């Protein structure tokens, strides 16, 4: 497809005009008959991660990551694929920036591949690795798109895993801090917002506890809790490094797939139970980062398996954040009040509970209302970004060559409505990054699950906008959800 999409070509997508979707020129008028608008300065964006899209795993001095090793291990990836090629973003980034611009969004969240910058995790940096991100950032800015960089989105240098056991060692925490300092010194003349780590709740539990993700370990509880503590320490060191080495005014925070707790029925008692549950079930990372301590309940539950730490480490971990990113897809827990400790009862999901194309992605739009509302209250957060939200879909190509992903549009419409509800009630959500810009390597599912606004033909690498791309572009243009 062309490197860029004009407004006219976008309008042709799937009969946009016939479906009543608007252009920028129509936005002001159509908002009047749509939903209430979002704040004028609300930040609309989209997101990706390095290993899932870049490819070029052996180019310009990039070192191996744990996902290179893991994806090449037989039986680990559902379709037997790897991220070696991915969607060739390393070579097609200019075309992909044009796709971002065509959506009308003003921000793009991407991740930097640690092994591109430090092939061995530490030691001698690789200037060519950072050069790629310099080119990407310059292209984004030239197109009026603000870069939001993530330092760690799971692609740990394999050398650190081999040498010190990866996140089993605080040496990796210190290495992330050094990497953060190097990147901040060289990029924050243009990158003003940095996420430190992404989804600790996923990559620690799945990678070091259950053996599902890279590096595929099944550690006992004590070692798993210690690994999570090392990630929290790495986050704190990275925040300090960005502040020390970056340009003044650079903002920094973490992005976490919060253990999202929703009151089953919104009574005062159940809402309070959801607040207790949110604090306790996120105590291992978000809680200690935002409170500077592990909760008594977490330590009591862990018992002899609780992480070992020093007061100085807790001070580092609790270095203030400028924002908190919440990755929100599905409610993880519906809770009711209980008169027994710890004060909440987790309800089982019935087998008939609806879900999207991915079975784990249960449909619960209210989660994007409750999770930020509760988090902001219990941790006194002033700035929240929805750093990921989206869904996979079947995404079959219709006879006319288009992708009519009505289920994704249904998902987004309902989730965005609940997010707007939260903002209207004063929850400090300042921006939204839709996952994902385009179909990509979806970790253990390989290329079998598609989350993108643009459909990728993984053989030809052609990108084609789905109907949801027109929907999202319309939301951004209106700054509101149309009727």
């Amino acid at each position: 497809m062309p490197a860029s999409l004009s407004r006219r070509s976008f309008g042709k997508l799937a009969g946009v005009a016939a479906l009543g979707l608007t252009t920028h020129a129509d936005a002001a008028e159509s908002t009047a008959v749509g939903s209430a608008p979002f704040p004028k300065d609300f930040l609309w964006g989209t997101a990706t991660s390095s290993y899932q899209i870049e490819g070029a795993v052996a180019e310009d001095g990039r070192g191996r990551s744990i996902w290179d090793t893991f994806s090449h291990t037989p039986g680990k990836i559902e379709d037997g694929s790897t991220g070696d090629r991915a969607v060739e973003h390393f070579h097609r980034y200019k075309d992909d920036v044009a796709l971002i611009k065509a959506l009308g969004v003003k921000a793009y969240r991407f991740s930097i591949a640690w092994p591109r910058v430090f092939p061995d995790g530490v030691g001698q940096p690789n200037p060519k690795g950072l050069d790629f991100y310099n080119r990407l950032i310059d292209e984004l800015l030239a197109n009026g798109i603000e870069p939001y960089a993530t330092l760690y989105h799971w692609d740990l240098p394999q050398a650190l895993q081999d040498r010190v056991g990866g996140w089993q060692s605080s040496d990796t925490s210190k290495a992330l801090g050094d990497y953060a300092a190097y990147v901040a010194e060289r990029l924050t003349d243009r990158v003003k917002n940095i996420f430190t780590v992404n989804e600790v709740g996923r990559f620690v539990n799945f990678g070091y506890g259950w053996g599902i993700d890279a590096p595929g370990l099944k550690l006992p509880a004590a070692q798993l809790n210690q690994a999570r503590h090392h990630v929290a320490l790495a986050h704190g060191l990275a925040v300090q490094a960005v502040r020390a080495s970056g340009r003044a005014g650079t903002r920094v925070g973490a992005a976490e797939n919060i253990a999202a707790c929703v009151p089953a029925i919104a009574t005062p008692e159940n809402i309070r139970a959801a607040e207790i549950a949110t604090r306790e079930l996120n105590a291992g990372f978000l809680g200690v980062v935002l409170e500077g301590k592990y909760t008594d309940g977490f330590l009591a539950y862990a018992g002899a398996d609780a992480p070992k730490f020093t007061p100085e480490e807790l001070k580092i971990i609790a270095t203030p954040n400028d924002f908190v990113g919440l990755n929100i897809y599905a409610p993880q827990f519906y809770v009711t009040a209980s008169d027994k400790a710890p004060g909440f009862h987790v309800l089982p999901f019935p087998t008939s509970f609806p879900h999207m194309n991915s079975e784990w992605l249960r449909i619960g739009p209210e989660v994007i209302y409750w999770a930020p509302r509760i988090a902001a209250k219990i941790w006194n957060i002033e700035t929240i970004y929805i750093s990921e939200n989206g869904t996979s879909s079947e995404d079959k190509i219709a006879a006319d060559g288009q992708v009519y992903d009505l289920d994704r549009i249904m998902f987004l419409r309902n989730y965005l409505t609940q997010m707007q509800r939260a903002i209207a009630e004063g929850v400090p959500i300042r921006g939204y990054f839709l996952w994902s810009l385009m179909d990509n390597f979806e970790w253990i599912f390989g290329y079998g699950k598609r989350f993108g606004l643009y459909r990728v033909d993984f053989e030809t690498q052609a990108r084609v906008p789905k109907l949801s791309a027109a929907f999202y572009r319309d939301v951004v243009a209106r700054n509101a959800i149309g009727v």
Side-chain angles (χ1 to χ4, degrees), residues 1-10 98-99 101-102 454 464-465:
M1 64 176 296
S4 62
L5 289 173
S6 67
R7 184 177 300 174
R8 178 177 297 177
S9 64
F10 224 116
L99 300 181
K101 185 176 182 179
Y454 292 91
V464 176

Side-chain angles (χ1 to χ4, degrees), residues 133-297:
Y133 299 104
N134 276 307
R135 296 192 297 272
L136 172 63
I137 290 162
D138 288 345
E139 187 71 14
L140 289 166
L141 292 172
N143 284 276
I145 301 163
E146 187 173 1
Y148 279 65
T150 302
L151 294 172
Y152 183 74
H153 198 130
W154 308 3
D155 42 4
L156 182 77
Q158 182 64 47
L160 281 175
Q161 186 64 42
D162 293 341
R163 189 166 62 252
V164 299
W167 294 111
Q168 293 176 258
S169 172
S170 62
D171 287 350
T172 300
S173 312
K174 297 171 185 174
L176 184 80
D178 293 341
Y179 157 56
Y182 180 83
V183 170
E185 183 179 359
R186 287 157 180 82
L187 296 187
T188 56
D189 59 328
R190 289 153 295 150
V191 178
K192 302 303 181 184
N193 296 274
I194 295 178
F195 291 92
T196 55
V197 294
N198 183 78
E199 290 196 358
V200 179
R202 165 75 186 255
F203 77 78
V204 171
N205 290 337
F206 281 54
Y208 287 83
W210 303 330
I212 297 172
D213 283 351
L217 302 182
K218 297 181 180 180
L219 301 178
Q223 294 180 44
L224 183 66
N225 286 333
Q226 196 65 46
R228 187 183 299 103
H229 175 76
H230 291 151
V231 178
L233 178 61
H235 160 78
L237 290 169
V239 172
Q240 292 185 350
V242 169
R243 296 249 168 80
S245 300
R247 299 292 179 95
T250 304
R251 301 163 69 243
V252 61
E256 177 65 329
N257 56 325
I258 184 172
C261 303
V262 175
I265 303 172
T267 64
E269 297 80 11
N270 289 341
I271 293 171
R272 178 56 186 152
E275 293 169 354
I276 296 169
T278 298
R279 183 169 181 255
E280 293 299 336
L281 296 177
N282 289 282
F285 181 72
L286 269 183
V288 69
V289 164
L290 297 174
E291 298 182 37
K293 63 180 181 179
Y294 291 105
T295 66
D296 293 340

Side-chain angles (χ1 to χ4, degrees), residues 73 353 358 364 478:
T73 303
F353 199 97
S358 296
R478 297 173 188 259

Side-chain angles (χ1 to χ4, degrees), residues 42-46 100 104-108 143-148 476:
F42 191 77
L43 188 71
W44 294 103
T46 186
I100 300 169
V105 301
K106 297 301 181 184
Y108 173 54
N143 284 276
I145 301 163
E146 187 173 1
Y148 279 65
V476 174

